[in-house]
Amino acid sequence: MTNNKTMGRKRAAALMVMLLASSMTGAAFAAVAPGAPGQAATGAYAGKTGIGTAYHAYDAQAGKAVPSRVWFSLAKGVVTETMYGLIHEVQLRELKLAIQGDGFLDVEDKDTDSTTSYLDVDAAGRPRSLAYKVVNKARNGKYEIEKQVFTDPAADTLVVRVTVRAKGGTVTPFLLVDPQMGGTGGGDKADVVDGALHAYEGDRHLVVKAAPGFKTASVGFVGASDGLTQLQKAGKLEGSYTTTGDKAGNVALAGALAPVTGEATFDIVVGFGDSAKAADAAATATLKRGHDAVLAAYDAGWEGYQAKLAPLPDLAKVAMDGGKLLYASALVLKAQEDKTHPGALIASLSAPWGDTQKADKPATGYKAVWPRDFYQCAMALLALGDSETPKAALAYLKTIQVGPKTPGNHGDGGWFLQKTHVDGTPEWVGVQLDQTAMPLMLAWRLWRNGVISDAEATALYTSMVKPAADFLVKGGTAGIGWNKATIHPPVTQQERWEEQAGNSPSTTAAVIAGLAAAAELAGQAGDEAAVKRYYAAADTYSAGLEAATVTTNGQLAPKGSKAGYYLRIAPTGQPNAHTPLAVRNGQQALTEDAYVDGGFLELVRYGVRAPSDPVIKSSLAVLDDETLPENLRVKYTFHFDGDATAYPGWRRYGNDGYGEDRATGANYAVSGSMTPTQRGRVWPLLTGERGHYELALAAAKAGGAKPAEVEAIRTTYVRAMERFANQGLMIPEQVWDGVGSDGGRGYKAGAGTDSATPLAWAHAEYVKLLRSLHDGGIWDLYAPVAVRYATKP
């Protein structure tokens, strides 16, 4: 029998265990941040002033995984969307600083004036690497923040060196991190582990470390217990919130850095991985290598890439800014390639108006593959002297060509998907015939330029070119998702703006050029029957072009005009029928003759029509008519500070609604639907297209373009595109035209709106315009097309 003394000791021990358990339970409860799931999350601001990623040569990654699959962007002086894994997989929405001082609490993207520049430039100030210097000066004059931002080529990490300068007195910086693991703002969890910040969802993790370390670290739910909310309410960071517990939601991380009197520098590293251990190891390895070594390796990669671009110095002489935008464009175009799927070129490393859109489910935005934008990028890279990337891009195209293995396909194949993830996952499934023609055009150009051999061209003809060309001849029935339409070329289900069906001048131009390219490749492969079939179809489409797309009784025709003008699109192929277009972007459905765009200039670019063609010239008069009613007007001119020149710009087409609301300045994501008062703004890439036309017109004269004509194009169209770029040398999708309200966003005429920035297509158009001017002829001109069609009376 146990004696009473022993029993007493056991009861005392049991009581101690109960008390300890009670204490631990209380501590654990106190450590869990309250307020789950937090505020509803939105995406990131789209007006990027910089994008970056490490460069990896194809030969260095052959047969093995790329060591760094991280992309970042900058906007308003802070790090915004940061992707890890595939190029569209956002894991981090924002990383920024709050600054606390005597009587104030600032947040840098709201309370500072920001400038963005490049860390690595040549003697002429031209960017050599996508490493950035961001300087944010406090409007209250109390501090200055300088940041260096880049990634580690040897690890899945983002590096941010922060230098804080106090301007009299002491300030305390707080790092604020807004994860968006797995591409969504909800469903995340977070904790503090060994002084580091950790967020995760599923198998996506990030770990944030600082050197020197955080004085206090905290996690919480946005709007309830996150670090900024704590600072705003209590003036301090609650160090006991070390986990968000079992509840997931919109979480945020915060870390207090050491108070600064004078100047102090902190190195922040965000590691990414498929586990907490992997993310932590990545961040630790980068910190161990050190800022200087990592930056040197990062810069060396991009400098090495630019060194391969032999035409770059000569093309810079054609630019009006000494080559700054050109050198940046070369980096931007290459950076928008996925690393798991070489050759997969996306449209933009942003999502238009992203900060007003819900982030409750993954969305690619413009971080996806459109064969149209893809073609523009590949051709621009080729113009820069990069043959490796366009070759990889051409090989990649089979990934997105519809066939028996396309997920969910029950229809005819050969055409290329409208929009896909970089791994080929279909996202949008409309049939756009120009996007089926452009891969054929690219294939022919790479063959003619010697990038692919005769044997490679023959193999490609059989596997990819022939099925696509056959579709452009006879059409077929789509059978993916919602799309069950039967396509009868050259009538397209969607034209290049992805909104209308019918006969489109720009689409038909690409289809004719694509078929001619296919015919030439068929001849090389010995398929003479296909040569005849493809050229016969192209001949038919060319012969019927004007009858299907030119109105001779349209309401926009200048007085006394007899030639007529190209419509944006003719839904029934009867351009004098005044057929209404489909309602799009909330706009009233006007008749077809009310719409004009610059798409007909593609007929000249590819060689389908001569630049002096009467209908082309009469259509230009309509396109350039600045007296048209405001909703139908397409052309606008801009004056920039300190420059007396009037620079031209064009909207996509009259009655375009893809942009901000004229009354409120809001975009469609704010109201949740398209509104009748929305307005599409000016697209800089269209200025480049017009510059190409003016060069084609000048070059067609006896003796070619005269020096004075080339200079006029440079000072007007080249310089306009340079002026449209922002301080980080990023060209926007759209710039503000000054019509209506901007909703207090502070837009300036000719400067970017909150549309997608940088737009790869715009950078590609700028590069190709410089190359065309340098060569004295259009880079995108297809000689077999021009000989067969544009030389005929």
Side-chain angles (χ1 to χ4, degrees):
M1 180 179 284
T2 306
N3 61 37
N4 289 338
K5 197 171 189 178
T6 302
M7 288 286 293
R9 282 198 299 268
K10 287 186 176 180
R11 289 194 186 101
L15 180 61
M16 183 61 70
V17 169
M18 290 174 62
L19 290 172
L20 181 59
S22 175
S23 175
M24 290 178 65
T25 301
F29 179 78
V32 176
Q39 292 177 350
T42 66
Y45 181 73
K48 314 302 185 185
T49 53
I51 65 168
T53 189
Y55 170 77
H56 295 289
Y58 292 134
D59 56 359
Q61 54 182 285
K64 55 186 177 182
V66 174
S68 179
R69 295 178 296 150
V70 176
W71 295 260
F72 69 89
S73 60
L74 304 172
K76 296 184 177 181
V78 305
V79 174
T80 56
E81 289 169 292
T82 302
M83 283 60 66
Y84 158 70
L86 300 182
I87 198 169
H88 64 267
E89 294 181 325
V90 178
Q91 313 296 346
L92 175 64
R93 176 183 178 270
E94 201 169 67
L95 184 150
K96 60 188 179 183
L97 294 176
I99 302 291
Q100 187 180 61
D102 187 10
F104 72 89
L105 175 67
D106 282 2
V107 181
E108 61 177 332
D109 59 339
K110 295 181 174 62
D111 299 307
T112 68
D113 294 318
S114 177
T115 58
T116 301
S117 59
Y118 290 83
L119 282 172
D120 185 14
V121 296
D122 65 10
R126 300 176 297 211
R128 302 172 69 201
S129 168
L130 291 171
Y132 296 91
K133 174 182 175 181
V134 179
V135 177
N136 295 331
K137 294 185 177 181
R139 294 185 186 131
N140 63 14
K142 300 292 186 180
Y143 60 90
E144 177 180 291
I145 302 167
E146 180 180 315
K147 291 183 286 194
Q148 298 181 10
V149 188
F150 49 94
T151 65
D152 186 346
D156 288 320
T157 55
L158 171 72
V159 181
V160 184
R161 168 163 281 189
V162 177
T163 299
V164 178
R165 302 182 182 99
K167 305 291 187 178
T170 299
V171 298
T172 302
F174 296 86
L175 183 70
L176 305 177
V177 183
D178 184 0
Q180 212 159 77
M181 309 306 298
T184 66
D188 295 350
K189 296 180 181 179
D191 49 35
V192 179
V193 181
D194 296 331
L197 301 167
H198 172 224
Y200 61 101
E201 179 178 348
D203 63 354
R204 287 294 185 253
H205 296 252
L206 67 77
V207 170
V208 185
K209 292 191 168 187
F214 299 116
K215 296 297 181 182
T216 307
S218 178
V219 298
F221 293 97
V222 173
S225 54
D226 64 285
L228 182 58
T229 299
Q230 293 174 40
L231 291 169
Q232 291 170 334
K233 289 182 177 179
K236 64 178 182 178
L237 201 60
E238 179 55 72
S240 66
Y241 292 159
T242 58
T243 180
T244 55
D246 294 331
K247 294 181 179 179
N250 184 12
V251 306
L253 322 175
L257 299 168
V260 178
T261 303
E263 178 178 306
T265 296
F266 310 90
D267 283 334
I268 309 297
V269 175
V270 184
F272 298 91
D274 296 342
S275 67
K277 183 178 179 181
D280 182 84
T284 300
T286 295
L287 282 172
K288 185 176 180 180
R289 275 189 289 276
H291 167 278
D292 293 351
V294 173
L295 178 58
Y298 183 89
D299 286 344
W302 283 116
E303 290 171 13
Y305 174 69
Q306 280 192 343
K308 298 177 182 178
L309 307 181
L312 207 55
D314 288 338
L315 296 184
K317 296 174 185 177
V318 183
M320 292 294 295
D321 67 349
K324 295 182 180 67
L325 180 57
L326 171 68
Y327 276 58
S329 296
L331 301 172
V332 164
L333 289 169
K334 180 62 177 174
Q336 298 193 144
E337 176 189 19
D338 189 58
K339 295 178 181 179
T340 305
H341 302 278
L345 300 165
I346 64 167
S348 176
L349 212 63
S350 70
W353 301 287
D355 59 330
T356 63
Q357 298 193 47
K358 294 179 181 178
D360 53 349
K361 49 186 161 184
T364 58
Y366 280 13
K367 301 180 213 70
V369 174
W370 278 267
R372 181 184 310 103
D373 301 62
F374 184 99
Y375 164 83
Q376 309 293 347
C377 294
M379 286 293 289
L381 289 165
L382 186 66
L384 288 166
D386 178 353
S387 59
E388 292 180 321
T389 308
K391 185 174 183 178
L394 185 63
Y396 168 83
L397 282 168
K398 276 297 295 178
T399 305
I400 59 172
Q401 187 172 26
V402 176
K405 295 182 180 179
T406 302
N409 179 42
H410 301 289
D412 293 316
W415 56 285
F416 289 82
L417 290 163
Q418 176 188 2
K419 177 190 179 186
T420 69
H421 297 181
V422 291
D423 63 3
T425 300
E427 187 168 345
W428 296 349
V429 295
V431 178
Q432 300 177 6
L433 294 181
D434 62 339
Q435 294 205 133
T436 293
M438 286 174 173
L440 312 187
M441 296 155 65
L442 179 63
W444 179 86
R445 188 58 181 268
L446 296 186
W447 171 57
R448 294 296 294 174
N449 279 42
V451 176
I452 61 174
S453 67
D454 289 351
E456 289 172 317
T458 298
L460 190 70
Y461 168 75
T462 302
S463 64
M464 186 181 83
V465 172
K466 184 176 175 61
D470 286 346
F471 190 88
L472 293 177
V473 171
K474 61 185 180 181
T477 300
I480 302 179
W482 58 266
N483 196 354
K484 306 292 191 296
T486 298
I487 311 300
H488 302 282
V491 179
T492 185
Q493 188 178 33
Q494 295 177 354
E495 34 64 84
R496 71 173 181 164
W497 302 126
E498 306 192 288
E499 297 168 354
Q500 300 286 345
N503 290 267
S504 157
S506 63
T507 297
T508 305
V511 169
I512 292 171
L515 283 170
E520 296 295 311
L521 288 164
Q524 193 278 329
D527 189 351
E528 293 302 325
V531 173
K532 294 177 181 178
R533 184 167 68 253
Y534 298 154
Y535 266 129
D539 291 347
T540 299
Y541 300 159
S542 176
L545 174 66
E546 284 78 11
T549 61
V550 175
T551 180
T552 55
N553 65 1
Q555 60 181 291
L556 303 184
K559 189 174 181 179
S561 173
K562 296 181 180 179
Y565 60 90
Y566 282 104
L567 300 179
R568 173 196 166 200
I569 195 162
T572 65
Q574 299 176 19
N576 286 331
H578 302 274
T579 304
L581 266 61
V583 175
R584 292 292 183 267
N585 298 324
Q587 304 307 292
Q588 178 184 354
L590 305 178
T591 57
E592 58 194 343
D593 57 312
Y595 296 85
V596 64
D597 78 340
F600 62 88
L601 295 177
E602 299 291 88
L603 294 164
V604 175
R605 180 194 290 254
Y606 300 141
V608 179
R609 291 293 181 269
S612 58
D613 182 276
V615 183
I616 295 288
K617 300 196 97 173
S618 65
S619 299
L620 284 171
V622 180
L623 186 71
D624 292 347
D625 187 353
E626 296 184 62
T627 68
L628 291 175
E630 175 267 319
N631 66 314
L632 300 183
R633 180 179 169 186
V634 180
K635 183 182 180 182
Y636 285 79
T637 53
F638 300 89
H639 292 274
F640 296 93
D641 294 341
D643 193 337
T645 304
Y647 294 106
W650 287 264
R651 301 167 67 204
R652 296 192 302 173
Y653 54 83
N655 209 44
D656 183 10
Y658 184 58
E660 292 81 5
D661 191 288
R662 294 190 300 274
T664 67
N667 67 82
Y668 67 89
V670 174
S671 64
S673 63
M674 300 291 189
T675 63
T677 49
Q678 279 180 215
R679 177 181 174 83
R681 309 293 172 171
V682 166
W683 286 53
L685 72 88
L686 299 175
T687 296
E689 288 191 351
R690 182 56 172 272
H692 270 106
Y693 168 76
E694 297 297 338
L695 176 61
L697 185 64
K701 299 174 184 176
K706 295 179 173 58
E709 293 172 317
V710 172
E711 187 63 16
I713 296 168
R714 290 180 65 236
T715 56
T716 302
Y717 302 100
V718 170
R719 187 59 179 146
M721 295 195 76
E722 293 167 354
R723 296 306 301 261
F724 289 142
N726 62 31
Q727 64 177 227
L729 302 175
M730 305 288 114
I731 307 178
E733 175 186 68
Q734 299 182 46
V735 297
W736 185 244
D737 59 12
V739 177
S741 169
D742 69 354
R745 291 200 168 220
Y747 294 148
K748 293 182 180 180
T753 64
D754 294 347
S755 55
T757 307
L759 187 67
W761 185 355
H763 283 272
E765 188 64 24
Y766 175 75
V767 167
K768 290 193 289 180
L769 180 57
L770 294 184
R771 181 62 191 257
S772 296
L773 286 165
H774 173 271
D775 295 352
I778 305 305
W779 179 250
D780 285 297
L781 182 69
Y782 289 84
V785 178
V787 169
R788 194 174 185 95
Y789 303 109
T791 57
K792 292 183 178 181

